[in-house]
Amino acid sequence: MSTGRVWLVGGGPGDPELITVKGLRLLERADVIVVDRLAPRALLDELPRVLGGETLVVDVGKQPGHHPVRQSEINALIVEHALAGRDVVRLKGGDPFVLGRGGEEVAACVEAGVPVEVVPGVTSAVSVPAAAGIPLTHRGVARGFTVLSGHDDVSGLLGGVPGGPEHTVVLLMAIAGLAHTAWALVEGGRPADTPVAIVEDGFGPRQRTTLATLGTVAQVAAEAGVRNPAVVVVGDVVTLAPEWVGEVAGGQSMWTPERARATAI
């Protein structure tokens, strides 16, 4: 039996329409689909091969603090099906190579001699802020951005992250450790009054933007009941969000932390 192939497909931030054309075509002819929790699962309900039982769908979704299928087992599962001659689509949320452990899955396939290809996806790091009207770069406001994982202690990472209001910091998977991360950013030199936006469930039915500052974000998030999935944006670009409640007078924002505590939009 000939070896099958594996495609790591970035499904985008959750909206089924934001998957690439190539990714959709691969899903339509896959023998096996190994799917994440944050992947666009609604697509699977529309695929004839899935509905007809021709495609095996394997759910390996992880939730914060609960990983029923370990990454090593996911790697082995993908390889096992491919070695059995099946074409496998590993459907992931966002982009496979942006904090998605896609590199580990590629390495497992290469080690096993399985042909593998990565199909990029729209990462939530960029698209979810955009859905909330927040550009990560903007002329005269920010010239670049950095994406960090909130699962890690950012204290040791900030040495390589440009500081100042002209550089945006985007945090993924950051809600559980938000208080510590905000403190680390302040200790790293960012002012406590730096604007912060938390965008929950981007493109989903409960999308919501909560505004704060680095000094208040932990309290504001707790009071607002912020939940995953969420993307945290730190920097002056947050002031470009439609929900920004500050009034500009003489070039200075009148927005205050006290207003932030009352703002969970």
Side-chain angles (χ1 to χ4, degrees), residues 145-238:
F145 66 92
T146 296
V147 181
L148 298 174
S149 167
H151 281 173
D152 302 319
D153 183 354
V154 301
S155 304
L157 303 176
L158 294 179
V161 178
E166 73 282 356
H167 192 88
T168 305
V169 175
V170 181
L171 301 166
L172 303 182
M173 304 171 288
I175 300 306
L178 189 56
H180 176 74
T181 300
W183 172 84
L185 287 167
V186 172
E187 286 291 300
R190 285 158 181 76
D193 62 357
T194 300
V196 179
I198 306 173
V199 186
E200 297 171 80
D201 195 30
F203 297 96
R206 63 177 186 90
Q207 179 175 318
R208 176 177 68 159
T209 301
T210 300
L211 302 174
T213 66
L214 278 177
T216 64
V217 67
Q219 178 183 345
V220 170
E223 292 176 353
V226 168
R227 294 184 292 149
N228 284 308
V231 175
V232 180
V233 183
V234 180
D236 284 356
V237 292
V238 171

Side-chain angles (χ1 to χ4, degrees), residues 11-187:
D15 184 340
E17 295 187 345
L18 290 180
I19 193 171
T20 63
V21 173
K22 183 171 184 176
L24 181 58
R25 288 175 178 167
L26 289 170
L27 284 174
E28 290 173 342
R29 64 181 183 86
D31 298 314
V32 180
I33 299 173
V34 181
V35 60
D36 273 350
R37 179 176 68 94
L38 296 180
R41 292 167 175 253
L43 281 174
L44 306 184
D45 297 331
E46 303 171 0
L47 298 177
R49 282 175 58 85
V50 172
L51 295 175
E54 299 176 63
T55 300
L56 173 65
V57 177
V58 183
D59 186 345
V60 295
K62 302 175 183 178
Q63 298 188 28
H66 180 58
H67 299 171
V69 184
R70 293 177 297 179
Q71 185 62 49
S72 59
E73 295 172 338
I74 295 173
N75 298 347
L77 181 70
I78 294 169
V79 168
E80 176 187 349
H81 280 293
L83 290 177
R86 304 180 185 101
D87 285 340
V88 181
V89 167
R90 173 71 171 106
L91 182 60
K92 305 170 74 69
D95 181 272
F97 278 2
V98 179
L99 301 180
R101 305 189 73 170
E104 298 172 46
E105 295 169 353
V106 167
C109 291
V110 171
E111 183 178 356
V114 172
V116 59
E117 180 182 342
V118 176
V119 180
V122 179
T123 173
S124 61
V126 175
S127 59
V128 169
I134 303 173
L136 298 187
T137 63
H138 187 83
R139 185 175 178 87
V141 180
R143 296 182 293 178
F145 66 92
T146 296
V147 181
L148 298 174
S149 167
H151 281 173
D152 302 319
D153 183 354
V154 301
S155 304
L157 303 176
L158 294 179
V161 178
E166 73 282 356
H167 192 88
T168 305
V169 175
V170 181
L171 301 166
L172 303 182
M173 304 171 288
I175 300 306
L178 189 56
H180 176 74
T181 300
W183 172 84
L185 287 167
V186 172
E187 286 291 300

